[in-house]
Amino acid sequence: MDTLRPLEEVLRYENAEVVYRFSVDHGVSLLDAEEIFLETKKWLWLCAAEPAAKIPLLSEARAVDEMWHTFLLFTDAYATFCDEHFGFFVHHFPRTRAEKEAWEKQVAEDGEAALIERRKLLRSAYEIICDRLGTETLQKWCEEFPARFTFDDEQ
């Protein structure tokens, strides 16, 4: 299969082991982990639906990123999920050292221009998320989840 499945179909996918592992590793209830897994499936569908956009995972959406990391630990299940629902493997590309250093250099050279560029990138990401998944999803990822969930290195 090499076609993107409808979002509703992607959201029906379940993986109790991923949800359980996230719950245990991050000290959240199974119900909360299930909710975060649902939102992560939305994120993955969006990545598959808009591959050319290369939408950055918003730093506020940490819960989604952490769940994606957990899902990736179950490599076979994750690969099968991607193949069956998207027709290809959705890769996770963390920010590299070179990218981090380039950003730091850009900020040092012209902090205002760097922030303007960053805001443009974020605005584009926000628009795609809102257009494809709705403003409620963006609010959940960037406002609700950060208020409800913290992770070890954020404390």
Side-chain angles (χ1 to χ4, degrees), residues 112 114-126:
E112 188 173 330
L115 290 176
I116 289 169
E117 206 49 46
R118 177 75 178 149
R119 284 188 197 113
K120 283 183 193 177
L121 181 66
L122 290 176
R123 182 179 310 271
S124 174
Y126 293 159

Side-chain angles (χ1 to χ4, degrees), residues 5 12 14 16 34 37 44 47-48 52 54 57 75 78 84 98 101 117 131 133 139-140 142 152-153:
R5 307 309 305 157
R12 284 193 296 268
E14 294 182 7
E34 287 172 359
F37 190 53
L44 292 169
C47 290
K54 297 189 180 191
L57 184 57
T75 310
Y78 179 75
E84 290 178 357
E101 289 171 355
E117 206 49 46
D131 287 348
L133 299 172
Q139 287 176 314
K140 182 172 276 203
C142 296
D152 291 339
D153 61 344

Side-chain angles (χ1 to χ4, degrees), residues 11-155:
L11 296 181
R12 284 193 296 268
Y13 173 83
E14 294 182 7
N15 189 312
E17 292 300 323
V18 171
V19 169
Y20 174 77
R21 174 72 180 258
F22 185 89
S23 173
V24 169
D25 287 355
H26 296 288
V28 303
S29 71
L30 285 173
L31 194 60
D32 285 340
E34 287 172 359
E35 180 183 11
I36 296 168
F37 190 53
L38 180 77
E39 296 302 318
T40 303
K41 292 180 287 186
K42 286 182 187 179
W43 166 254
L44 292 169
W45 178 85
L46 182 63
C47 290
E50 300 282 345
K54 297 189 180 191
I55 307 163
L57 184 57
L58 309 171
S59 59
E60 304 90 347
R62 179 74 186 271
V64 171
D65 190 42
E66 291 296 326
M67 179 61 83
W68 190 4
H69 294 177
T70 301
F71 198 3
L72 284 164
L73 293 174
F74 295 83
T75 310
D76 189 51
Y78 179 75
T80 300
F81 167 81
C82 288
D83 188 51
E84 290 178 357
H85 292 89
F86 312 134
F88 62 93
F89 190 90
V90 176
H91 290 273
H92 187 292
F93 295 103
R95 192 165 86 161
T96 65
R97 180 186 335 173
E99 290 167 333
K100 182 178 185 289
E101 289 171 355
W103 167 250
E104 290 168 352
K105 181 180 180 198
Q106 188 178 6
V107 168
E109 289 174 356
D110 188 346
E112 188 173 330
L115 290 176
I116 289 169
E117 206 49 46
R118 177 75 178 149
R119 284 188 197 113
K120 283 183 193 177
L121 181 66
L122 290 176
R123 182 179 310 271
S124 174
Y126 293 159
E127 288 172 358
I128 293 169
I129 293 166
C130 288
D131 287 348
R132 298 295 297 234
L133 299 172
T135 56
E136 303 81 16
T137 294
L138 182 63
Q139 287 176 314
K140 182 172 276 203
W141 293 357
C142 296
E143 294 175 12
E144 183 184 327
F145 278 3
R148 287 173 54 199
F149 308 109
T150 58
F151 299 92
D152 291 339
D153 61 344
E154 293 180 327
Q155 298 173 11

